[in-house]
Amino acid sequence: MRYLLVEDNQELAEAVIGRLVLDGHAVDHAATLSEAEDCLAVASYDLILLDVMLPDGDGRVFLARSRTRLETPVIVLTARSQVSDRVGALDQGADDYITKPFDFSELEARCRAVLRRRGGAARNQISLGACVFDALSGTLSRGDTVLELKNREIRLLEVFARHPGQILSKAHLMDRLFSYDTAVTENAIEVYVGRLRRRIEAVGLRIETVRGLGYRIETGAA
């Protein structure tokens, strides 16, 4: 998953990014609303974490204005704990909010919950044919066979799992897995796809290479 963090507190931003990257996510950081606009102009995101008080404006105003053109889920980060502030953020288009200071485990859980709701799922598990992929535990299972995946494998399979049967280009996979400050080439995507392909063949899943276009996951019969 690729996140955009809009937060002017550098220490907090680095801590949040460090935690999310550890889970295998890609995170771009904007310290101002202007920088956030620049990021949104050139990239798409699975989730936005938005601070309220920023050097160049109010994040809630930015959110309300953006909702006419932006469907990306947003979690508001706020130091204000009054009910009216939280209700206001939700009414202006936030999918959720979390009050500072927060526990990183709660932030991660709220991110997962928002993404599940947007995906129409009630749980972290996704069915892929006869297999069950659990992005939270990082496992892919079929019957009694359970594969434990590494972080990058989890995030790559998560991208495929959310687009079953669709052809995903190398550029799309790079965009979902890596942030701006990560130097990566299409060859790296080939390596990651190759590794994941070998792992999931054990449970009957197949990643097909579509020459000149990209890759798609084939789940087979359920």
Side-chain angles (χ1 to χ4, degrees), residues 41-98:
V42 297
S44 61
Y45 295 93
D46 298 294
L47 180 66
I48 297 173
L49 301 175
L50 177 65
D51 188 20
V52 170
M53 301 307 295
L54 292 154
D56 56 346
D58 190 321
R60 294 166 300 180
V61 175
F62 167 83
L63 173 61
R65 186 174 65 246
S66 299
R67 272 307 181 216
T68 60
R69 57 180 171 83
L70 185 69
E71 296 184 357
T72 307
V74 176
I75 296 178
V76 168
L77 312 178
T78 176
R80 300 177 176 180
S81 59
Q82 292 186 0
V83 173
S84 60
D85 292 318
R86 301 197 298 269
V87 170
L90 294 171
D91 284 343
Q92 287 162 332
D95 294 85
D96 200 355
Y97 64 86
I98 188 167

Side-chain angles (χ1 to χ4, degrees), residues 11-186:
E11 184 177 354
L12 176 59
E14 290 177 357
V16 171
I17 292 170
R19 184 64 176 256
L20 294 175
V21 168
L22 190 63
D23 283 341
H25 301 290
V27 185
D28 291 323
H29 175 221
T32 64
L33 295 176
S34 177
E35 291 178 7
E37 290 281 14
D38 290 341
C39 290
L40 291 168
V42 297
S44 61
Y45 295 93
D46 298 294
L47 180 66
I48 297 173
L49 301 175
L50 177 65
D51 188 20
V52 170
M53 301 307 295
L54 292 154
D56 56 346
D58 190 321
R60 294 166 300 180
V61 175
F62 167 83
L63 173 61
R65 186 174 65 246
S66 299
R67 272 307 181 216
T68 60
R69 57 180 171 83
L70 185 69
E71 296 184 357
T72 307
V74 176
I75 296 178
V76 168
L77 312 178
T78 176
R80 300 177 176 180
S81 59
Q82 292 186 0
V83 173
S84 60
D85 292 318
R86 301 197 298 269
V87 170
L90 294 171
D91 284 343
Q92 287 162 332
D95 294 85
D96 200 355
Y97 64 86
I98 188 167
T99 304
K100 300 177 183 178
F102 49 77
D103 183 89
F104 288 123
S105 296
E106 181 183 0
L107 176 63
E108 291 170 319
R110 288 182 179 273
C111 290
R112 291 192 297 268
V114 165
L115 291 170
R116 284 199 308 270
R117 290 198 298 270
R118 280 300 179 106
R123 300 186 299 168
N124 294 298
Q125 296 178 340
I126 301 174
S127 295
L128 293 169
C131 300
V132 176
F133 170 54
D134 191 322
L136 177 56
S137 65
T139 59
L140 177 66
S141 58
R142 180 172 184 168
D144 294 332
T145 302
V146 180
L147 303 180
E148 294 186 359
L149 306 175
K150 298 179 180 179
N151 278 343
R152 190 69 72 186
E153 294 171 339
I154 295 169
R155 299 312 162 204
L156 180 56
L157 182 56
E158 192 172 16
V159 176
F160 280 118
R162 295 184 184 280
H163 303 86
Q166 295 183 29
I167 300 173
L168 304 179
S169 67
K170 293 179 183 178
H172 177 82
L173 296 176
M174 289 173 63
D175 182 68
R176 306 297 357 120
L177 295 175
F178 300 100
S179 58
Y180 286 127
D181 57 1
T182 303
V184 66
T185 66
E186 290 190 352

